[in-house]
Amino acid sequence: MEAGEGQDLVTALAGAGVRPEDVDTVVCSHFDPDHVGGHASFPAAEFVVQREHWDLARSGTVPRLTASRPLWDVPGLRYRTVEGDTELLPGIELIASGGHVPGHQSVLVRLERTGAVLLAVDAIPMSTALDPERRPVLPFDLDEKELRESTRRLVDLARAENALIVHGHDAEQWRTLRVAPAYYD
């Protein structure tokens, strides 16, 4: 679920009748400062992250992950690491999509009425980055070769699944998407 403009996630969830303590699983695409935060708001949740990213974030070798550490390395939170593509639950697959940062993961959700939705996050941050060969390499992208491979793989997956690709930083696309209290089903 995404919050509407000017609305935090806890407020958006409340609008859908969900309390923070009702949330039992949170998928972490990666720990960049603009994608992490509010973890402490979900004390009953298990946070799922790629092992490669977890190890990298805890190593202290990437300054932006170190800067965001107080937002995700909170005492009492429970993390589960996965390795590579993983079926989290029936209809929810975690897709390894490194390049932006090692261990980045995207999420493929198969919804009953909407169909497949691929949350590409920063692997394909905007619709102008769909061509693996011409995808811009942005300042925070750490591995160009892996980035292009992940882009190709996600675009091929979306095509095979006839999936809507949701980009992590595409203001134009975000204006067209349903946000709380509306939803995809």
Side-chain angles (χ1 to χ4, degrees):
M1 171 175 268
E2 280 294 330
E5 190 172 335
Q7 186 180 51
D8 66 68
L9 185 57
V10 172
T11 302
L13 289 169
V18 177
R19 300 171 306 154
E21 54 271 18
D22 298 332
V23 176
D24 61 14
T25 306
V26 174
V27 174
C28 304
S29 62
H30 63 304
F31 292 152
D32 274 357
D34 60 330
H35 290 270
V36 69
H39 285 198
S41 296
F42 302 98
E46 176 180 67
F47 295 83
V48 183
V49 62
Q50 289 286 324
R51 176 177 302 284
E52 180 182 22
H53 191 69
W54 174 254
D55 291 344
L56 176 70
R58 291 174 49 94
S59 75
T61 59
V62 179
R64 68 187 201 240
L65 302 180
T66 301
S68 68
R69 192 170 189 149
L71 300 172
W72 56 266
D73 194 6
V74 177
L77 294 185
R78 296 176 299 120
Y79 283 89
R80 174 169 45 132
T81 59
V82 297
E83 295 190 41
D85 296 351
T86 302
E87 181 180 52
L88 183 61
L89 296 166
I92 302 175
E93 292 181 35
L94 308 178
I95 310 297
S97 52
H100 171 64
V101 65
H104 180 283
Q105 66 184 351
S106 301
V107 183
L108 178 66
V109 182
R110 292 182 183 92
L111 300 171
E112 190 174 319
R113 289 186 233 187
T114 303
V117 177
L118 177 61
L119 306 172
V121 197
D122 282 0
I124 309 176
M126 61 210 69
S127 60
T128 58
L130 286 165
D131 181 335
E133 301 310 317
R134 295 196 304 208
R135 181 209 190 286
V137 178
L138 302 170
F140 290 111
D141 294 332
L142 297 182
D143 184 328
E144 180 177 353
K145 182 176 185 275
E146 188 176 13
L147 185 74
R148 294 193 187 290
E149 289 170 3
S150 290
T151 301
R152 179 175 295 103
R153 188 165 172 254
L154 291 173
V155 168
D156 289 347
L157 176 63
R159 187 176 299 120
E161 295 277 343
N162 194 30
L164 164 66
I165 299 176
V166 177
H167 308 284
H169 293 281
D170 192 329
E172 202 170 299
Q173 181 191 39
W174 279 94
R175 286 192 291 274
T176 70
L177 297 174
R178 292 181 223 157
V179 295
Y183 57 90
Y184 292 89
D185 61 347

